[in-house]
Amino acid sequence: MSEVKLHNIFPTTISQSNIGVDKNIKRHLINEAFDFIYQNNVKNGSTTINKYILNNKKYSSLTKKILDNLSYVIYDIYAIDKNLKFFITNSWCVKHEKNDIAELHNHNNSIISGVYYFQTPKDCGDIIFNRNIINNNVFSNTLTIPTKNNLNEWKLKVEEGTLLLFPSHLLHRTEPNLSNKSRYSLAFNVFFKGSIGNDIGLNRLDIWK
């Protein structure tokens, strides 16, 4: 058999890094006021009442670490024009107690989204990213050996300090928290300001915060 080359085109990039956990910031985040999440009329975790957590100056050092990683991904990995400026639009903490999960979802009105884990007890569950159903392999239920070339989902193991950045349209969910301790994370969305497109292409768009 002749040599076969595989070309994995148009990749979906997920950035994973570990930015550590500051004990004081962790304590403040856990002590924020939370309210229950109801999905299909069933309690499924809690979110902070404040949906702009990272606007608080006491979290400025955490915000800086996130923005530094975001800048690297946007300008060095995606190679986006530096005339476009990106900013965090909203941010909130999520608390998952035993057996809680995050159901399959994506993030609207956003370009890039992220999640930062600051408490991950053993067996608290990992995050799973799913391929869009439109792009699913027609043979998805008859695969003999799952490989990175045919998978419809991708699981990432998370630990305290893990920061994930990904395109906001990407579907994702979590495994159940099987620990007796709560799993805590901080989620956020990112948008941009500046000018894109041009008049010749009839697609110019100016967005200024």
Side-chain angles (χ1 to χ4, degrees), residues 123-161:
D123 299 323
C124 71
D126 295 321
I127 188 169
I128 299 173
F129 291 90
N130 286 67
R131 188 197 302 245
N132 190 304
I133 191 171
I134 296 175
N135 300 322
N136 277 355
N137 192 315
V138 68
F139 300 112
S140 60
N141 294 323
T142 57
L143 300 175
T144 56
I145 302 176
T147 73
K148 67 179 182 179
N149 295 313
N150 63 23
L151 282 178
N152 288 320
E153 64 180 35
W154 188 265
K155 181 167 74 171
L156 290 178
K157 185 173 181 59
V158 297
E159 58 185 19
E160 290 191 9

Side-chain angles (χ1 to χ4, degrees), residues 5 76 113 123 171:
K5 291 184 178 181
D76 293 273
S113 294
D123 299 323
L171 292 167

Side-chain angles (χ1 to χ4, degrees), residues 52-70:
Y52 305 92
I53 288 289
L54 293 177
N55 289 2
N56 193 316
K57 290 183 178 180
K58 66 184 175 185
Y59 302 128
S60 59
S61 61
L62 173 60
T63 303
K64 184 180 184 304
K65 289 181 179 179
I66 292 173
L67 290 175
D68 286 345
N69 277 265
L70 180 65

Side-chain angles (χ1 to χ4, degrees), residues 39 101-106 128-130 171-174:
Q39 296 172 319
I101 64 170
E103 295 187 351
L104 189 65
H105 67 285
N106 58 11
I128 299 173
F129 291 90
N130 286 67
L171 292 167
H172 54 286
R173 58 190 173 90
T174 70

Side-chain angles (χ1 to χ4, degrees), residues 25-189:
I25 288 180
K26 175 180 177 178
R27 176 171 53 83
H28 284 302
L29 289 173
I30 289 176
N31 288 333
E32 291 280 350
F34 284 78
D35 198 6
F36 294 136
I37 303 171
Y38 288 94
Q39 296 172 319
N40 299 317
N41 295 319
V42 176
K43 175 188 170 294
N44 198 4
S46 307
T47 61
T48 48
I49 295 173
N50 181 2
K51 300 302 190 290
Y52 305 92
I53 288 289
L54 293 177
N55 289 2
N56 193 316
K57 290 183 178 180
K58 66 184 175 185
Y59 302 128
S60 59
S61 61
L62 173 60
T63 303
K64 184 180 184 304
K65 289 181 179 179
I66 292 173
L67 290 175
D68 286 345
N69 277 265
L70 180 65
S71 178
Y72 173 74
V73 169
I74 288 173
Y75 300 122
D76 293 273
I77 303 301
Y78 291 157
I80 293 176
D81 190 334
K82 290 187 177 180
N83 287 319
L84 291 180
K85 304 303 178 184
F86 290 77
F87 60 96
I88 295 172
T89 56
N90 50 355
S91 52
W92 62 98
C93 292
V94 180
K95 176 183 179 181
H96 282 133
E97 299 176 310
K98 187 169 185 177
N99 296 322
D100 285 344
I101 64 170
E103 295 187 351
L104 189 65
H105 67 285
N106 58 11
H107 293 225
N108 297 323
N109 299 329
S110 178
I111 303 295
I112 295 173
S113 294
V115 57
Y116 166 67
Y117 289 87
F118 56 93
Q119 180 166 296
T120 56
K122 184 180 178 181
D123 299 323
C124 71
D126 295 321
I127 188 169
I128 299 173
F129 291 90
N130 286 67
R131 188 197 302 245
N132 190 304
I133 191 171
I134 296 175
N135 300 322
N136 277 355
N137 192 315
V138 68
F139 300 112
S140 60
N141 294 323
T142 57
L143 300 175
T144 56
I145 302 176
T147 73
K148 67 179 182 179
N149 295 313
N150 63 23
L151 282 178
N152 288 320
E153 64 180 35
W154 188 265
K155 181 167 74 171
L156 290 178
K157 185 173 181 59
V158 297
E159 58 185 19
E160 290 191 9
T162 294
L163 172 66
L164 300 175
L165 300 171
F166 50 90
S168 299
H169 69 266
L170 191 58
L171 292 167
H172 54 286
R173 58 190 173 90
T174 70
E175 294 178 315
N177 178 10
L178 301 181
S179 170
N180 290 319
K181 296 182 179 180
S182 297
R183 177 181 68 219
Y184 283 92
S185 61
L186 185 150
F188 55 91
N189 292 320

